[in-house]
Amino acid sequence: IHIKIFHFSDNIEVHRTANQVKKDVGDVTILINNAGIVTGKPFLQCSENELLKTMAVNVYSHFWTLKNFLPAMVQRNHGHIVTISSLAGLIGASGLVDYCTSKFANVGFAESLGLELMKDNKDGIDTTIVCPHLIHTGMFEGFTNRFDMLFPTLSPEYAASRIVKAVLTNQRLLVMPRTGYLITAVRVLLPVAAVKRLTKFIGGLECMDGFVGRQKMK
């Protein structure tokens, strides 16, 4: 099993690197798409270039890696595709319009791809969608959470171990922490007005007010 991690949005660079990987180590059987950036700005404060970059890194990069590695999986009917989305791909938040858009797209992409593989009887190719709350990497530095007990910041080690377990057990959807399953179920069941009030109550309107993001080392 070969595992390779990509963070590219440039399709030409992805194609070049993918060809080198296939030449050096052979066909990839586990693909983990984990590209992600965040502007942390209200929508009208985001430049067009920032919006395009968010979609290029967070969404289009998934297209390019799958275009390169999925054909071999299909041919052999063997493989596993892991799509790292976010809890922000299941429920929206103020100050994260572009980010939530891209992460919702990740979920739709992975779900639809899984259905295409099912239609083609490629039952040897498994898919896992991962939707974590904040992971302590510095990417969302300044993000505030009104209910830390319900939605704690996850350590990278914990998140990685849960993802590995999900792959080994062919888990289709992994939401971290587990309270995330509840909030997404409530979102579907409640009226839109009630969801908005709930989002306000849990701090979804002000959560990005203190955002500073990952700070460059001096």
Side-chain angles (χ1 to χ4, degrees):
I1 298 174
H2 305 297
I3 301 177
K4 189 73 176 180
I5 302 176
F6 287 92
H7 296 283
F8 304 121
S9 60
D10 184 339
N11 61 327
I12 296 176
E13 179 65 16
V14 172
H15 296 327
R16 184 195 66 78
T17 305
N19 287 333
Q20 189 64 47
V21 169
K22 287 183 280 189
K23 178 181 177 182
D24 291 345
V25 299
D27 293 328
V28 168
T29 56
I30 297 180
L31 176 64
I32 302 176
N33 277 320
N34 188 36
I37 59 172
V38 58
T39 62
K41 300 177 182 179
F43 175 70
L44 290 180
Q45 293 180 21
C46 293
S47 68
E48 292 184 1
N49 284 337
E50 286 175 324
L51 295 174
L52 290 171
K53 186 176 181 179
T54 296
M55 296 304 292
V57 174
N58 295 8
V59 182
Y60 299 152
S61 61
H62 293 232
F63 294 171
W64 312 144
T65 56
L66 263 296
K67 279 287 190 180
N68 279 279
F69 297 118
L70 184 58
M73 295 185 190
V74 169
Q75 184 176 13
R76 299 168 59 186
N77 191 23
H78 175 69
H80 202 122
I81 301 162
V82 182
T83 302
I84 308 297
S85 180
S86 169
L87 195 58
L90 299 173
I91 186 168
S94 176
L96 288 171
V97 171
D98 58 331
Y99 186 79
C100 288
T101 299
S102 67
K103 293 303 178 178
F104 268 79
N106 291 158
V107 173
F109 167 71
E111 286 186 353
S112 301
L113 180 64
L115 292 175
E116 286 192 1
L117 293 170
M118 179 185 294
K119 179 183 177 182
D120 294 336
N121 296 315
K122 299 301 178 181
D123 55 357
I125 304 175
D126 297 298
T127 60
T128 296
I129 303 171
V130 182
C131 295
H133 184 47
L134 292 187
I135 299 176
H136 188 60
T137 63
M139 181 175 174
F140 273 87
E141 190 68 32
F143 178 96
T144 56
N145 182 4
R146 184 176 293 178
F147 296 99
D148 287 327
M149 292 293 292
L150 292 177
F151 297 99
T153 300
L154 310 172
S155 72
E157 294 78 12
Y158 172 78
S161 67
R162 289 291 309 279
I163 292 169
V164 169
K165 182 178 179 181
V167 171
L168 293 175
T169 58
N170 292 332
Q171 186 174 342
R172 305 299 184 187
L173 174 65
L174 171 62
V175 180
M176 299 181 285
R178 290 185 175 87
T179 47
Y181 291 107
L182 176 62
I183 199 70
T184 53
V186 167
R187 176 183 177 275
V188 174
L189 295 173
L190 290 180
V192 173
V195 172
K196 287 184 177 180
R197 286 195 290 270
L198 176 61
T199 302
K200 181 179 180 180
F201 175 72
I202 65 177
L205 301 186
E206 302 86 14
C207 60
M208 293 293 288
D209 287 357
F211 173 81
V212 293
R214 184 181 288 112
Q215 301 298 295
K216 295 181 178 178
M217 294 184 64
K218 296 181 180 180

